[in-house]
Amino acid sequence: MIKSIHLLMVGAMVLLPYFGIAQSEANDKKPNIIFIYADDLRFDGLGANGNRHIITPMLDHMAEKAVRFNQANVVFSLCSPSRAALLTGRYGSANGVLELGSDLNEGELTVAEYLREAGYHTGMSGKWHLGKEPKTLGFDFSVFFKGNGTYYGRTINDEGEIKKVERHCDLYCAERAVDFIKHAAKKETPFFLFHNTQLPHMNGDLIWDARKETKRKYRVSEMPVAKSRLDDLSGKPEYLKSVRNRSQAKAYGYPDSLAIQKHTLDYYSVITEMDDYLSLLFKTIEELGLNENTYVFFMSDNGWMLGEHGFTSKVLPYQPSTQVPLFVIGPDLKPTDLDHLVVNIDIAPTIMELAGIQVPENLHGESLFPLLKKAPVDWRKSFVYEGLGTYGGALPNLTVINKDFRYIETFENSSLETVIFQEFYDQKKDPLEENNLIGSPGIQATVVAAKELIEAHINKVLKK
């Protein structure tokens, strides 16, 4: 009862209409919802997204049945901020999470809390990378490991019991997610599962530790090499020449093409293992006949750079870092490809609308519901990427991402008072983001409009 009062007080104007619905009547009509969040998976890390070299049979099969969003991005490309943004539907500057392992601000509510209040049985499995534990943020069931670390012999919190699990942490958590689904399917109430893989994130030794038999499915000579691997960064901020994305890449042997190919083989191999583990969930959904009343989302918390501009990792506001796969399967959804510009803060309002919950006004994302239902909608043309964390030595940056261009402002410090570098890339003519057009006469009106979007974001989100 205390929790109910809290939710009503936080968003009374928007939540009261929902709570007027009789609970039993509402539950009869509510779908189950499963959200799968991969870790460090590039947009092209699936065969379904045009990669003819990678082996992801289950995810490709599911994507064939799905609404596929080909222009999906995250609002900050880093593990903890991405999870916080997804769970709250709000930017990191507002919800409080801009660094690894940091915590949500007091009073922030997650989509799990709203769903539980609406009668859902809620579960979380896999990687957890926020300060507070899952059960304090709306999850009835939780089996999780904290942050990043070894794949094998991982310490896992299984419903409050601390275990050292010798088999792969993703396999164990996938099996426990299946247990949750089977148990929840027997209940009269709908369920929500938030499943997070560690893969394809590196292990604690910063390597992709795939099994030898998985690696043998690939050939080094067939692995792609980033065309911009030799970028001298002449059109980019000077500090990027020594940022962690560059120094760590050199430690891996970049920009040597063979080093990149060997690294890519390891990366693809753990993605193939992730695909295999996730097949347990998809097969269970089918075996239990849940397809008719279950929506399944698949997304990644951020992209990953495999030698683009001589970089590794994420965080930086370039396309391989920000763009991610996203597809949705549902009982009344027809397979289709959509090119609308969508972001991870859109997920919470989408799930709420699917569950029949009025979306709170303080969320920054927009519900994908009309896009999923093919309803006419005036959708966003641009969004602002918040590169405001300090991970890896990146300077604060705000970026306007549009299907046609990418405009980046790098700031001197966190006060965001002084812009020290500007970048503008034509995403149609220069998809590799090599030619900084800032200063070119033909783009000035677009730059002015982009700067206005950044200023509006600072005033409406950061300073609010």
Side-chain angles (χ1 to χ4, degrees):
M1 188 63 185
I2 294 175
K3 192 63 171 180
S4 301
I5 294 172
H6 176 58
L7 287 175
L8 288 168
M9 290 179 64
V10 170
M13 294 182 64
V14 293
L15 290 178
L16 280 172
Y18 167 75
F19 287 103
I21 300 174
Q23 193 63 66
S24 60
E25 177 185 348
N27 285 340
D28 289 342
K29 301 177 181 179
K30 293 184 181 301
N32 304 311
I33 300 168
I34 297 173
F35 189 92
I36 301 171
Y37 221 9
D39 196 315
D40 288 354
L41 181 66
R42 293 165 57 102
F43 172 76
D44 63 2
L46 301 177
N49 286 351
N51 189 334
R52 62 186 179 86
H53 302 289
I54 200 161
I55 303 169
T56 50
M58 177 55 75
L59 288 168
D60 295 347
H61 174 65
M62 302 313 296
E64 289 176 0
K65 304 178 180 182
V67 176
R68 299 171 292 272
F69 290 92
N70 297 321
Q71 292 288 336
N73 287 262
V74 295
V75 295
F76 183 33
S77 180
L78 187 61
C79 303
S80 299
S82 192
R83 282 162 174 71
L86 183 137
L87 287 170
T88 64
R90 288 161 50 79
Y91 276 98
S93 59
N95 67 41
V97 180
L98 290 171
E99 307 289 350
L100 292 179
S102 53
D103 218 342
L104 293 170
N105 288 333
E106 190 67 30
E108 287 290 327
L109 297 173
T110 71
V111 65
E113 291 176 280
Y114 286 103
L115 288 171
R116 185 165 68 178
E117 186 66 23
Y120 273 74
H121 181 49
T122 59
M124 180 273 153
S125 50
K127 175 178 173 177
W128 185 254
H129 215 159
L130 295 174
K132 292 186 179 70
E133 293 193 354
K135 291 202 173 184
T136 68
L137 294 177
F139 293 101
D140 301 313
F141 169 96
S142 64
V143 176
F144 65 96
F145 47 86
K146 292 184 177 180
N148 305 308
T150 180
Y151 297 163
Y152 300 92
R154 194 66 170 274
T155 298
I156 295 179
N157 183 322
D158 188 332
E159 282 284 83
E161 182 181 352
I162 307 303
K163 299 181 176 181
K164 185 176 182 180
V165 177
E166 294 306 320
R167 61 186 180 279
H168 199 294
C169 58
D170 273 6
L171 174 58
Y172 181 87
C173 288
E175 291 171 341
R176 293 293 282 124
V178 166
D179 292 339
F180 171 83
I181 293 172
K182 288 180 177 179
H183 176 73
K186 297 176 182 178
K187 291 177 171 285
E188 294 183 0
T189 55
F191 69 82
F192 168 61
L193 173 65
F194 182 45
H195 181 70
N196 299 256
T197 67
Q198 163 137 334
L199 299 177
H201 196 290
M202 291 176 166
N203 69 9
D205 295 324
L206 297 183
I207 61 173
W208 290 303
D209 187 21
R211 300 187 304 270
K212 291 181 180 179
E213 55 267 34
T214 307
K215 291 185 180 183
R216 284 196 290 266
K217 296 179 180 181
Y218 292 98
R219 293 183 180 179
V220 172
S221 61
E222 296 176 351
M223 297 296 96
V225 178
K227 295 179 180 178
S228 63
R229 66 187 176 87
L230 299 177
D231 190 348
D232 64 4
L233 305 181
S234 58
K236 293 178 169 58
E238 181 71 20
Y239 87 95
L240 291 180
K241 293 180 180 178
S242 58
V243 77
R244 182 184 182 278
N245 302 76
R246 191 80 162 194
S247 60
Q248 189 62 40
K250 290 180 179 178
Y252 296 145
Y254 295 17
D256 177 73
S257 60
L258 182 58
I260 292 174
Q261 286 180 305
K262 289 180 177 179
H263 217 209
T264 300
L265 185 148
D266 291 345
Y267 178 64
Y268 284 10
S269 296
V270 294
I271 292 173
T272 295
E273 293 185 351
M274 177 192 71
D275 181 87
D276 185 43
Y277 301 146
L278 289 177
S279 68
L280 298 177
L281 276 71
F282 291 114
K283 290 176 181 177
T284 299
I285 294 167
E286 185 171 339
E287 289 169 359
L288 295 178
L290 297 175
N291 311 65
E292 296 182 2
N293 196 38
T294 303
Y295 288 92
V296 182
F297 294 71
F298 177 83
M299 194 178 194
S300 176
D301 67 344
N302 47 253
W304 185 266
M305 291 180 283
L306 281 171
E308 287 84 2
H309 314 294
F311 293 138
T312 186
S313 197
K314 49 216 176 184
V315 176
L316 301 180
Y318 302 112
Q319 180 270 332
S321 170
T322 70
Q323 190 178 8
V324 294
L326 170 61
F327 64 76
V328 187
I329 305 165
D332 51 356
L333 303 183
K334 296 182 179 180
T336 187
D337 286 284
L338 297 179
D339 290 324
H340 298 76
L341 196 61
V342 302
V343 283
N344 56 341
I345 53 174
D346 295 333
I347 299 301
T350 303
I351 291 175
M352 289 181 188
E353 188 161 2
L354 287 173
I357 301 171
Q358 187 76 25
V359 178
E361 294 178 349
N362 67 342
L363 269 58
H364 300 130
E366 298 290 335
S367 172
L368 304 177
F369 188 85
L371 301 182
L372 293 172
K373 301 295 183 176
K374 297 186 177 180
V377 61
D378 183 18
W379 197 252
R380 70 167 68 89
K381 301 296 186 294
S382 307
F383 78 93
V384 175
Y385 174 87
E386 272 195 353
L388 300 182
T390 61
Y391 181 81
L395 288 179
N397 60 81
L398 293 172
T399 300
V400 173
I401 296 178
N402 181 291
K403 286 191 289 186
D404 296 325
F405 70 87
R406 188 169 296 229
Y407 171 70
I408 307 169
E409 288 189 348
T410 298
F411 295 86
E412 184 177 38
N413 53 47
S414 60
S415 70
L416 306 184
E417 294 178 354
T418 305
V419 176
I420 61 172
F421 207 90
Q422 296 170 280
E423 299 166 73
F424 186 99
Y425 301 102
D426 185 324
Q427 300 274 244
K428 299 293 186 182
K429 297 179 180 179
D430 179 28
L432 300 182
E433 300 168 331
E434 294 179 295
N435 185 19
N436 184 2
L437 298 177
I438 203 70
S440 301
I443 64 166
Q444 293 314 300
T446 305
V447 170
V448 169
K451 289 178 69 69
E452 290 174 353
L453 286 175
I454 288 177
E455 188 63 30
H457 182 83
I458 291 173
N459 292 327
K460 293 180 180 179
V461 179
L462 276 77
K463 293 182 179 180
K464 190 171 180 180

